[in-house]
Amino acid sequence: MRYSLPGIFRQVCRGHTGWPRVWRDSEPAQSYDVIVVGGGGHGLATAYYLARRHGVRRVCVLEKGWIGGGNTGRNTTIVRSNYLHPESARFYDFSLKLYEGLGRELNYNIMFGQPGVLNLAYSRQELRQMNRRVNALRHAGVTAHMMTVGEIYRRLPHLRPPEDLARPIFGGFLQPRGGTVRHDAVAWGYARAASRLGVDIVQNCTVESIAVNGGRVSGVATSRGEIRADRILLATGGHASILARRASLSMPITSFALQAMVSEPIRPFFNVVLDGPVYVSQSDRGELVVGGGTDLFNSYAQRGIASTCERNFAVLVDLFPCFSRLKWMRQWAGIVDYTPDHSPILGPTEIEGLFLSAGWGSYGFKAIPAGGYTLAHTMATGRVHDLIKPFSLDRFVTGALIDEGASSGMDLGRPVI
Ligand SMILES: Cc1cc2nc3c(=O)[nH]c(=O)nc-3n(C[C@H](O)[C@H](O)[C@H](O)COP(=O)(O)OP(=O)(O)OC[C@H]3O[C@@H](n4cnc5c(N)ncnc54)[C@H](O)[C@@H]3O)c2cc1C
């Protein structure tokens, strides 16, 4: 939908009433070719690419709340592809490339910026790991380079002087193409484009169970009745194992609350996104958007505990003393699902017709375009897309794990600090 300037002026004069809906809020039909459970970024992107690239248009997205109301609308919006293993670097870099053209593809402003993502090393050991990562990234064709302490201080002149830091910095590395994307816009952009291609988006519709007959799926039972389909995608974010368990499918997933915090707006301060035990970027409105490690115990309570915020602030104020006077305006949490190797679970399952987009932990926002693109390919053609073959569920049986604990900022499900 393109808005004309006089059109926008008329809407504003009407007190912001009468804006046209950007996607259809549909009633569920009795059957579809594909049911996508979960209206987060991954579910919506898969629905969009199914319709756009494969002509599969009898698709519905069933969302228990509102679209983007899960982790997609709760994350700290950082996108990067600086992962250690070639399988991951290829996959996440493909996603970054799709993000680079996504605004144009969806004709929607996703507020994409690429100031670069800078990781700081707090020990010689971490510095050695970063060196290894930068070399691995170069082999995978992803540009990244090490930075000395002097270069970091030139980039971030407000950092506390090295001799006063509680945890000294030993160096770092930069991925220049990393950055941030407005999270809601990603959900809304995909929803609008999918809806225009005929995809039904059904909000306030909880999927309660998955019908499995003779080893294959036949539909779902929802709070709004039964719906039939022989291909179903579970893209339920931090609640992936709940529905899967009801279909007798077990996944090695543990769930934690992960928090984000936002400050009052300040003048432009950061010319880079800082990643590590705390990650921080500055939004277009000037707010600092901060995240860190998860709460230390498993939980589905979407609140988060105060001690995690305190820990994040302590690290941040150690780095930037001037932030101690900032007012913090908002805090929230999302439930993130971690796998033992901190890589996602993607593709078909032992139940015919049941597909997974799960285990996205704290790193799934950056993967939304690639996750949707590759799963749509897999579900439409019946052939697993090459990029996601390594991320199948059976790697936990074969032992072919892709350990990205360090690259995802987590180690054994616990924050690195
Ligand atoms: C605080 C925080 C910061 C983060 N920061 C980053 C970051 O900077 N970069 C990054 O790459 N990633 C980040 N992440 C992770 C990222 O947000 C997620 O991995 C990603 O959004 C997952 O997308 P999704 O579509 O799979 O899940 P979601 O967006 O959670 O969508 C799943 C949807 O499924 C719905 N649902 C669940 N159960 C049912 C059911 N039974 N029936 C119907 N609908 C159901 C939910 O309501 C939800 O809307 C962060 C996460 C959090 C919480």
Side-chain angles (χ1 to χ4, degrees), residues 91 94 346 369-379 383 385 387-388:
F91 175 78
F94 178 59
L346 300 171
Y373 187 102
T374 52
L375 273 165
H377 170 98
T378 305
M379 295 180 81
R383 291 189 308 277
H385 194 285
L387 280 176
I388 60 170

Side-chain angles (χ1 to χ4, degrees), residues 36-45 61-80 83 92 99 179-180 183 187 202 204-209 221-223 234-240 242-243 246 256-261 273 275 279 281 289-292 302 332-338 357-368:
V36 174
V37 187
H42 282 281
L44 292 164
V61 178
L62 305 178
E63 166 53 50
K64 73 174 176 187
W66 65 94
I67 65 164
N71 288 343
T72 298
R74 292 168 183 272
N75 69 74
T76 41
T77 76
I78 300 172
V79 296
R80 57 183 172 87
Y83 282 74
Y92 289 105
Y99 263 132
T180 54
H183 48 17
V202 186
N204 299 312
C205 180
T206 303
V207 173
E208 282 150 3
S209 61
T222 79
S223 53
L234 289 189
T236 51
H239 297 81
I242 296 176
L243 267 185
R246 290 190 194 152
F256 295 84
L258 178 66
Q259 304 190 45
M261 290 139 266
V273 176
D275 206 353
Y279 31 96
S281 61
V289 182
V290 177
Q302 220 163 233
W332 63 87
I335 303 303
V336 290
D337 273 11
Y338 282 108
S357 171
W360 283 117
S362 53
Y363 34 84
F365 177 67
K366 63 180 71 62
I368 284 173

Side-chain angles (χ1 to χ4, degrees), residues 184-409:
D184 302 315
V186 173
W188 299 335
Y190 274 123
R192 184 179 80 149
S195 175
R196 282 182 181 177
L197 292 166
V199 170
D200 279 353
I201 294 170
V202 186
Q203 300 183 96
N204 299 312
C205 180
T206 303
V207 173
E208 282 150 3
S209 61
I210 296 159
V212 181
N213 294 305
R216 55 170 307 135
V217 293
S218 58
V220 292
T222 79
S223 53
R224 289 164 73 171
E226 292 184 3
I227 308 173
R228 291 190 306 278
D230 57 13
R231 278 171 291 175
I232 296 173
L233 172 68
L234 289 189
T236 51
H239 297 81
S241 44
I242 296 176
L243 267 185
R245 209 178 308 124
R246 290 190 194 152
S248 302
L249 187 74
S250 73
M251 286 191 278
I253 275 181
T254 44
S255 305
F256 295 84
L258 178 66
Q259 304 190 45
M261 290 139 266
V262 171
S263 77
E264 62 184 325
I266 54 174
R267 67 187 168 79
F269 184 91
F270 272 111
N271 56 5
V272 75
V273 176
L274 201 60
D275 206 353
V278 287
Y279 31 96
V280 51
S281 61
Q282 190 164 17
S283 75
D284 293 338
R285 278 188 295 204
E287 302 154 326
L288 299 186
V289 182
V290 177
T294 61
D295 289 358
L296 295 176
F297 48 87
N298 296 125
S299 173
Y300 281 119
Q302 220 163 233
R303 288 189 297 271
I305 51 169
S307 58
T308 308
C309 296
E310 266 171 18
R311 191 183 59 203
N312 292 339
F313 289 139
V315 177
L316 200 62
V317 171
D318 182 37
L319 291 172
F320 299 99
C322 53
F323 289 172
S324 63
R325 296 211 312 258
L326 265 186
K327 291 191 181 64
W328 293 89
M329 310 296 279
R330 297 190 297 281
Q331 166 277 351
W332 63 87
I335 303 303
V336 290
D337 273 11
Y338 282 108
T339 58
D341 61 358
H342 297 99
S343 288
I345 302 174
L346 300 171
T349 64
E350 65 202 33
I351 301 170
E352 211 182 319
L354 185 65
F355 297 82
L356 293 173
S357 171
W360 283 117
S362 53
Y363 34 84
F365 177 67
K366 63 180 71 62
I368 284 173
Y373 187 102
T374 52
L375 273 165
H377 170 98
T378 305
M379 295 180 81
T381 64
R383 291 189 308 277
V384 181
H385 194 285
D386 282 345
L387 280 176
I388 60 170
K389 278 183 184 158
F391 298 105
S392 66
L393 179 58
D394 72 2
R395 75 178 185 274
F396 299 103
V397 177
T398 62
L401 303 185
I402 307 164
D403 185 353
E404 292 291 359
S407 316
S408 63

